[in-house]
Amino acid sequence: MAEKKVILDHINDEGEQTLEVYQGHGGYKALEKAIKQMTPAQILEEVKISNLRGRGGAGFPAGVKWGFIKREALGPKYLICNADEGEPGTFKDRRVMTVKPHIVIEGIIIAAYCMGLDAGYIYIRGEFFEPYQAMDKAIDEAYAKGYLGKNILGSGFNFDLYTYLGAGAYICGDETALMNSLEGKRGMPRLKPPFPAQFGLYGKPTTVHNVETFSAVPSIIANGGKWYSDLGTSKSGGTKLFGISGHVERPGVYELNLGTPWKEFFEDIAGGVRGGKKLKAVIPGGSSTPVLLPHELEGMLLDYESIASRGSMLGTGAVIVFDETTDMVKVAWRAMKFYAHESCGQCTPCREGCDWFYDIFNRIYKGEGREEDLDKIENLSKFIGPNTICAFGDAFVTPALAFIRKFRSDFLEYIKKGKYGLKSGETSHA
Amino acid sequence: MDNMTNRTNEKTKTMNFSFNESSMNEFRRWEKKFPEDPAGRRSLVIPALWISQWQHGYISRDVINYVAEITQTEPLHVWGVATFYTLFKKEKTGKFLLQFCTNITCSLMGGDQVFVNTCKKLGVKAGETTRDGMFTAVEVECLGACGESPTLQVNEKYYTHMTDDEVEKLVADLRKMA
Amino acid sequence: MPEIIIDDIPVQFTGKANIIELAKSVGVDIPHFCYHPALSVSGNCRMCMVEVGMPAKEKDGSLSKDENGKVKISFMPKLQPSCYQDPTDGMVIRTKTEKVIQTRKHIMEFLLANHPLDCPICDQAGECVLQDYSFQYGFSKSQFLDQKRTFKKTLFSDVITPELNRCIHCDRCSRFTKEIAHDYSFTRTWRGNKTELSALPGEKITHNYQGNMVDICPVGALTLTDFRFKSRVWFLKHSEGLCTSCGKGCNVVYSIDKQNKVLRIKPRFNAAVNSYWMCDYGRLRYKFFNENRKIAHTSSGTEIDLNTAIEKAATMIKSSTRIAAIASANETLESMQALKDFAENILKTENIDYRVHSSQIENNTDIKTGEVLLANDPYPNSQGAKKSGLSGSVTALDILKNPLQADLLLAVLDDKFVENPDLMEALGKFDKIILFSPFVTVHDHRAVVTFAIPSLIEQSGILVNINGMEQKFQKIITPAGEAVLVPDIINRLTLKISGKMAAGTGA
């Protein structure tokens, strides 16, 4: 197997960001097909067959999500494209939006047509000024071509699409925090239920998907749900974008069939560990997914289930590679610093927990760790994830636990060399 | 005995900020994106803060009042929003805001050290501005460009594969540009 | 009627019910910080997490039963916030399981991680929810070794003294400001662990209900400036009463020290009147109860005993032909009735009235514009006075404007009258006056008699509020000095003048 370019097809071609070039490569044919030849029910059926799952991290089946929206419900219904790509290690959506914005737009319009939505917002993180400009430009082109606006392709279907620019808050990647942000509020996640399909943006039914999820839609319509599904495994249909970074020979964004063996991707496609060094660890799906050791990667396939069976997650497909020289205590410390900075501060376990975790990791890293600190993290962890309003609690607790469990001796080494040393005689070379 | 009268301190609004023509045009463009009702109006708070910052450089108290007025919200709401989001500058910074990503991948690739070295070379601590008002160096979270790390964002623009030498060259170029 | 089971106790409910309240109604206490029955549910503190289960169902939809035929309950894997979880028929709530207890302990630990250990110098001590829960539900020792969070000192209110280092971010204060005070002057700012409840930098909260923010703050982050360091709450006596600073009649609790001084007024829940709230104006006006009190009857400024005072007053009344009287809408219904009878039967005058304020003259029973509870009418019993027939052909204000038309003026004074320079000046124009006053006045030196009477917290009775609601209240402290109730003075005067007891006193 090699790379399978569905979303990334022609991504390196000159002018691919323009409607003209995109269309020259078959762009917007899927939209025409959907609107002119298919009913919304048929589109939904294809998406269900395709086995497409949300690419933002949670992996919720897209067809099921689309089915939540009651087409006939009165009043406006909204679509949100989550382009608040902030999960550390993740850089795939930025690439798609900058270089191939029309595939995102095309996917959005098909989804909106299928669900009977009235308007959509692409929520782009504030740092992504260049992708924001690229999306705006592409949207203007799509309006000019009649793909957006009133009576799209003579179908009587109206749909408006707008960009929105965030302002620096990782938590806005949570769909309800994102909606609050879009409503001009502090981006704090909402209590659930109600869920966005009933009570979303402005209290109206709303569907939220990641950039990559929408980008997969045109190919599903063009080639059929079965074709897409067959690209992947029986449970995870299609292709997935993987962004690999860190100590790797060829970092970058790659598109692979779900179920591609890890070994093939890492060694053959991405070139393995940089400089011929030995591998120490890999974060498979963004900083919130537990780190994996080399032996855990053996036989692993790149799909939701195979990675989950190893105690981690496919997440956003953001692979971070650590070679043998890496200081994993520092990596953990840096990750916790990030979460402490990004908690919204709304609920107790997260607001107090993230900072407490960072304090502990910081003390260990700065040589003031105590032996009982590691147990403390284990103990506190049990009461954070299950009790927070959103998934942020789990997002920092699970990787923290993986770091201290899998690199216990590294942490103990730090503690041993530090101010307080080891008391129990537990050797740091366990 | 009536301490009520003492407490009704009149909010004296001194408006020293308003949109210039191009900002107003940009704001008008944003207005079209949202429903024409109070909820839609409130959605303009973040765009209006952006436009203000692009024009004024940072979010001053006058900006807060102005944004509240044009979005028909309360100044305190605007302040609550402005302080939630890290990209809104609550204080003046240098002409060029050097935002060094030091998150996991960028640190692996030496970005944290590039940040420290740049601060040293510029003679500033993290968050400080050079005396000539040109540069402010800050550490930021993942910029979403890990494949080309280390990454540096200067105002809105990304610069990738940053090394000490690259940053030095860039700083010199920016100085010339200004 | 739908029913849920809380710790094995069935509870029926109707409409939209709240699990914390339902539990309370059957004696199950679910600890909470951010939930408040009068505010929107925020669900942020996570203290009220409970186990929630529903009857398990088989694939065919029938109830799933165990071998004993009992319906199986399937519990949600995660605990749910009982403030936010809607009860539905058949739901089973467990609040005492190990999982719940351990979770509470750890939520307490998270809340206390950054909370300073300054209880000995904190005004909230003794009525601090965090302190109580820490004792009931917390660990005795913290695992937290790190630097506690600190905030820069800010002063955002003249009523509240903030100590934000103690804040547990429950957000009650900000929700109260927006939802009850209808004001946008206080909210969450910044983010994460640095989230700070705050007003706009450099500005102060100006609404008239800030004391309530102190009341609902479960910790000592917001304390009442006026009460700061005055007394430990456990040294005070707390008695139920009514606020007397306007016609709303908010239900309150008076906190009294050992010298019988009022040190604080806090609102007391009454759904029909003031909910959980009261205004700062009423809250902070209590000092008149303690100051400048008249403790002895006087004649031309000289202290005299009650008998002599009665005699002097009776003599003067008997020798006067054109008597006018000013009643007070700050008296009880009982006192007003006595005065009305006295005027009719003994003074033989129709020149008696209570209306000294424009709202009384216009019978304005509205709340002040922009206020939530504060009435236009500054008197607590104008409606009672009206009901007692104390409105004469001319208003009290008119009586006061025509000093030459009366050869004797009887006036019942109160805190509002004494504090009003215009009224006091008008009183000075009368040649002969008999006063009934809880306060020393500038006219005592020239009054025929000034009777010392109790304040409204030194007696029992009924007040009728602007909505026509009769509210009974009980004496909280014994009257100052020799003060005697108005009806008692009137009885004695009646006996002295007519030889008969006053009507309705059952002689």
Side-chain angles (χ1 to χ4, degrees), chain B residues 22-81:
Chain B
S22 79
S23 293
M24 189 48 90
N25 289 339
E26 177 67 3
F27 184 70
R28 296 273 175 253
R29 191 176 74 84
W30 278 92
E31 273 181 323
K32 294 191 192 93
K33 299 187 179 191
F34 304 105
E36 288 171 26
D37 57 23
R41 204 72 205 162
R42 185 162 55 187
S43 282
L44 287 160
V45 167
I46 290 172
L49 282 168
W50 268 125
I51 298 165
S52 302
Q53 184 162 303
W54 292 329
Q55 179 185 323
H56 190 61
Y58 75 109
I59 307 298
S60 64
R61 264 305 297 279
D62 291 330
V63 166
I64 295 288
N65 288 344
Y66 182 72
V67 168
E69 191 178 286
I70 55 172
T71 59
Q72 288 155 29
T73 54
E74 293 290 331
L76 186 67
H77 173 78
V78 179
W79 178 242
V81 170

Side-chain angles (χ1 to χ4, degrees), chain C residues 170-459:
Chain C
C170 73
D171 198 43
R172 276 182 172 184
C173 50
S174 119
R175 279 177 286 149
F176 169 84
T177 307
K178 201 164 129 196
E179 294 165 18
I180 308 293
H182 306 298
D183 189 80
Y184 218 122
S185 59
F186 200 67
T187 195
R188 285 180 179 128
T189 60
W190 302 97
R191 189 174 78 193
N193 200 39
K194 294 181 179 66
T195 301
E196 183 177 351
L197 276 299
S198 154
L200 267 175
E203 286 204 8
K204 284 186 175 175
I205 312 172
T206 55
H207 68 72
N208 189 23
Y209 297 87
Q210 299 174 45
N212 301 295
M213 296 162 71
V214 172
D215 296 340
I216 59 176
C217 179
V219 295
L222 307 179
T223 54
L224 199 66
T225 306
D226 183 72
F227 185 64
R228 209 162 144 78
F229 304 138
K230 276 205 186 146
S231 170
R232 283 303 193 182
V233 288
W234 55 84
F235 293 135
L236 301 176
K237 194 180 100 188
H238 306 284
S239 307
E240 297 189 350
L242 300 173
C243 176
T244 65
S245 290
C246 87
K248 186 69 187 174
C250 289
N251 291 209
V252 299
V253 172
Y254 286 89
S255 298
I256 314 285
D257 71 4
K258 295 214 165 75
Q259 283 76 46
N260 267 351
K261 296 253 187 286
V262 179
L263 288 196
R264 181 176 78 175
I265 308 182
K266 275 177 89 167
R268 172 166 61 90
F269 177 72
N270 184 333
V273 181
N274 55 312
S275 183
Y276 296 88
W277 325 115
M278 75 182 297
C279 72
D280 295 339
Y281 174 73
R283 185 191 297 262
L284 299 174
R285 224 184 131 261
Y286 65 86
K287 293 178 188 81
F288 69 84
F289 286 117
N290 306 334
E291 289 164 8
N292 205 30
R293 293 301 304 279
K294 190 145 186 77
I295 50 169
H297 315 293
T298 56
S299 175
S300 306
T302 310
E303 279 188 25
I304 50 171
D305 64 23
L306 182 61
N307 284 338
T308 317
I310 296 284
E311 223 160 90
K312 277 187 184 273
T315 310
M316 181 54 70
I317 289 167
K318 275 197 258 183
S319 65
S320 302
T321 52
R322 288 173 292 124
I323 304 177
I326 309 284
S328 163
N330 200 67
E331 286 289 310
T332 65
L333 214 48
E334 296 81 347
S335 164
M336 288 168 168
Q337 201 54 56
L339 192 65
K340 169 73 182 164
D341 293 345
F342 185 61
E344 220 169 271
N345 303 323
I346 307 295
L347 303 179
K348 313 267 190 228
T349 180
E350 285 177 4
N351 231 356
I352 176 167
D353 195 86
Y354 68 96
R355 293 165 294 177
V356 291
H357 187 265
S358 59
S359 67
Q360 295 174 310
I361 295 164
E362 295 151 14
N363 193 31
N364 183 330
T365 57
D366 296 333
I367 296 295
K368 270 191 184 172
T369 313
E371 291 286 343
V372 181
L373 292 167
L374 185 62
N376 281 307
D377 185 349
Y379 284 89
N381 203 12
S382 296
Q383 293 306 308
K386 195 175 155 220
K387 205 172 156 186
S388 304
L390 279 174
S391 357
S393 46
V394 289
T395 66
L397 205 56
D398 283 335
I399 293 173
L400 282 166
K401 276 183 193 152
N402 297 293
L404 297 178
Q405 294 194 357
D407 61 355
L408 174 65
L409 179 76
L410 272 70
V412 183
L413 305 185
D414 53 55
D415 48 293
K416 277 134 303 221
F417 196 107
V418 173
E419 284 168 358
N420 185 324
D422 295 343
L423 295 178
M424 287 305 276
E425 197 191 325
L427 193 59
K429 302 257 162 63
F430 286 82
D431 196 19
K432 293 201 165 57
I433 50 175
I434 295 175
L435 304 176
F436 301 73
S437 176
F439 306 100
V440 173
T441 82
V442 292
H443 299 302
D444 289 355
H445 71 281
R446 43 175 292 271
V448 177
V449 173
T450 307
F451 289 105
I453 61 170
S455 75
L456 268 180
I457 56 168
E458 295 163 352
Q459 52 184 309

